[in-house]
């Protein structure tokens, strides 16, 4: 949907092979993989949500991730059997979902965040993760957005106040050393 709306998805497409490898490594070392799928419908879209504006005042947002359409399908990577799928209706994966309950059930106190769009959904989730007392790691080369400056700004925000920013290879190396 973003591409059809005219946004440049080059960085997103470039990130997908790294993300695929990273997810396969996580599964190999029995690190739980949680996919977060965004869907929207009239039932869960409040007037405030529908009326949100971009900084330039654009209220003509094209509807994205409409429940039941191809626009809310996973892009580039897909869940495997055994992966958890959380459905969200806002930017943060914690708002109105059972993510915290799932993490608690899995005995997890840290999140390794990947995905799109780094400066919106991923950063919103990172902020809420810390506010819910989780350790936050942004997997830098497994996140992407349509604006390189926004990507760098989010990475800086995470470093300065919310957690760590680490490339996938470093995390995979730790798994290989610690989980053999």
């Amino acid at each position: 949907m973003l591409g059809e709306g005219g946004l440049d998805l080059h960085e997103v497409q470039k990130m997908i092979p790294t993300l695929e490898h990273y997810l396969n490594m996580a599964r190999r070392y029995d690190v739980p993989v949680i996919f977060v799928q965004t869907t929207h419908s009239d039932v869960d879209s409040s007037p405030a949500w529908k009326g949100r504006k971009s900084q330039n005042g654009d209220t003509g947002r094209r509807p994205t991730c409409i429940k039941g359409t191809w626009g809310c399908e996973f892009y580039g990577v897909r869940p495997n059997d055994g992966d958890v799928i959380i459905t969200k209706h806002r930017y943060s994966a914690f708002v109105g979902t059972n993510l915290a309950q799932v993490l608690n059930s899995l005995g997890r106190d840290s999140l390794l965040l990947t995905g799109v769009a780094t400066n919106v959904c991923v950063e919103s989730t990172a902020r809420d993760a810390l506010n819910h007392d989780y350790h936050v790691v942004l997997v830098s080369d497994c996140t992407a957005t349509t604006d390189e400056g926004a990507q760098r700004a989010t990475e800086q925000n995470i470093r300065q106040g919310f957690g760590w920013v680490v490339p996938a290879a470093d995390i995979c190396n730790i798994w290989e050393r610690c989980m053999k």
Side-chain angles (χ1 to χ4, degrees):
M1 288 298 298
L2 298 175
E4 273 197 5
L7 294 173
D8 180 4
L9 296 180
H10 176 75
E11 293 300 317
V12 174
Q13 293 164 339
K14 188 170 86 174
M15 173 269 297
I16 296 294
T18 305
L19 179 58
E20 284 180 311
H21 175 73
Y22 175 79
L23 292 173
N24 288 332
M25 292 296 287
R27 293 176 185 118
R28 177 178 171 190
Y29 291 107
D30 294 321
V31 175
V33 174
I34 300 173
F35 276 76
V36 178
Q37 183 174 31
T38 304
T39 67
H40 300 294
S41 70
D42 286 337
V43 173
D44 56 54
S45 294
S46 67
W49 184 255
K50 290 178 186 177
R52 66 197 188 282
K53 295 181 183 182
S54 64
Q55 192 170 14
N56 66 9
D58 177 21
T59 57
R61 289 180 180 266
R62 195 170 176 185
T64 56
C65 304
I66 303 302
K67 187 175 182 172
T69 70
W70 66 268
C72 71
E73 293 176 12
F74 294 107
Y75 179 81
V77 293
R78 304 257 183 275
N80 283 2
D81 290 341
D83 293 346
V84 176
I85 300 172
I86 301 286
T87 301
K88 70 178 178 106
H89 308 292
R90 294 298 182 268
Y91 294 138
S92 171
F94 284 94
V95 174
T97 73
N98 67 336
L99 178 57
Q101 181 181 7
V102 168
L103 293 168
N104 185 51
S105 295
L106 293 170
R108 301 299 161 158
D109 64 359
S110 302
L111 274 76
L112 302 164
L113 298 172
T114 66
V116 176
T118 314
N119 61 317
V120 180
C121 296
V122 179
E123 184 172 351
S124 295
T125 300
R127 289 169 179 260
D128 283 348
L130 181 63
N131 289 329
H132 281 86
D133 295 322
Y134 292 97
H135 301 281
V136 174
V137 177
L138 180 78
V139 186
S140 58
D141 50 352
C142 290
T143 59
T145 192
T146 59
D147 178 317
E148 188 63 26
Q151 175 79 19
R152 298 299 150 236
T154 293
E155 290 175 5
Q156 187 62 23
N157 286 343
I158 300 296
R159 278 188 199 97
Q160 287 182 335
F162 301 100
W164 295 268
V165 178
V166 180
D170 289 1
I171 295 167
C172 292
N173 287 336
I174 291 169
W175 290 337
E176 287 180 6
R177 284 195 318 267
C178 296
M179 297 185 182
K180 283 190 174 183

